[in-house]
Amino acid sequence: MLKNPFQVAITFAVVALVIKVAVFYMDLQHGAMEDYIRYIYMLIMLVTVFFGIRSNKIMFDGTTTFGQDFKTGARTASFFAIIMAIITYIYYAKIDPGFFAIKQQPLLDELFKTAQTKVGSDDKEILLKDLSNQILGIKTYLSPYFQAMWTMFGLVFLGLFNSAVFAFLMKKYPGFKK
């Protein structure tokens, strides 16, 4: 069995990586599967926090407090979130670098179409500056770095919530220790 929160986090991060790469190799990363990956990550985070707290309860023979359970769950969730942020960045930067180009293209097309309708305006310098700022915003928002950062923040906050819920449930129902 997994003995500490870091082992639990690594184990489930590898599971998440395998699922993400399997989706890539089946060429399903665009469309509906993009939303399902979020749900899969949420489920994996839930299981990660549960097993992190459970391993701590087993180690202390079930005599842990709410605070200890919460800290253990939060630590497990934080490790998992950091590992997943690194995996997310590497995935989008090296494994599937064309993902964000595909996501950016419709937004850029719409932006250029809107800009062409405004070409007759008086101040073309302001229009050009606005267009370049919007392009920069799109390219920043849809980038591996930004995706990794938001993945980490989202998973940390989700993990903190899950930790509080599981710490409460495991204190209320002590049958989870074995």
Side-chain angles (χ1 to χ4, degrees):
M1 192 78 196
L2 304 169
K3 295 191 193 258
N4 64 41
F6 194 66
Q7 286 178 330
V8 173
I10 288 175
T11 301
F12 287 106
V14 168
V15 169
L17 174 65
V18 168
I19 292 170
K20 185 83 168 172
V21 171
V23 166
F24 172 73
Y25 280 118
M26 290 186 287
D27 200 26
L28 298 173
Q29 70 268 32
H30 301 288
M33 196 61 185
E34 188 177 341
D35 291 331
Y36 291 131
I37 287 294
R38 288 186 201 121
Y39 301 136
I40 290 168
Y41 279 7
M42 292 166 86
L43 176 65
I44 292 172
M45 172 60 81
L46 192 72
V47 173
T48 302
V49 170
F50 173 77
F51 279 108
I53 294 173
R54 186 171 177 269
S55 69
N56 194 48
K57 278 199 163 305
I58 290 170
M59 190 167 57
F60 287 107
D61 206 24
T63 58
T64 58
T65 65
F66 173 82
Q68 288 173 322
D69 289 345
F70 176 75
K71 282 194 256 184
T72 301
R75 189 178 315 120
T76 305
S78 298
F79 288 150
F80 178 78
I82 291 168
I83 294 167
M84 287 310 301
I86 293 167
I87 288 171
T88 299
Y89 179 79
I90 292 170
Y91 173 82
Y92 287 120
K94 303 294 181 197
I95 297 173
D96 192 6
F99 180 84
F100 289 114
I102 293 169
K103 294 294 179 192
Q104 290 171 1
Q105 197 56 50
L107 297 172
L108 294 174
D109 290 344
E110 183 65 30
L111 185 65
F112 290 133
K113 190 168 98 176
T114 305
Q116 286 176 349
T117 61
K118 295 180 182 179
V119 168
S121 70
D122 296 334
D123 201 357
K124 291 185 181 182
E125 185 177 313
I126 292 174
L127 179 67
L128 190 61
K129 187 173 183 175
D130 183 48
L131 184 65
S132 66
N133 285 340
Q134 289 182 7
I135 291 170
L136 180 63
I138 290 169
K139 290 193 177 275
T140 301
Y141 178 71
L142 293 172
S143 68
Y145 173 76
F146 201 79
Q147 184 71 25
M149 179 183 68
W150 281 108
T151 297
M152 184 178 70
F153 284 138
L155 289 174
V156 164
F157 289 119
L158 179 67
L160 290 174
F161 175 76
N162 290 343
S163 296
V165 169
F166 275 127
F168 173 74
L169 289 175
M170 289 183 171
K171 193 69 184 157
K172 182 100 172 135
Y173 304 105
F176 289 113
K177 68 180 177 185
K178 293 185 182 186

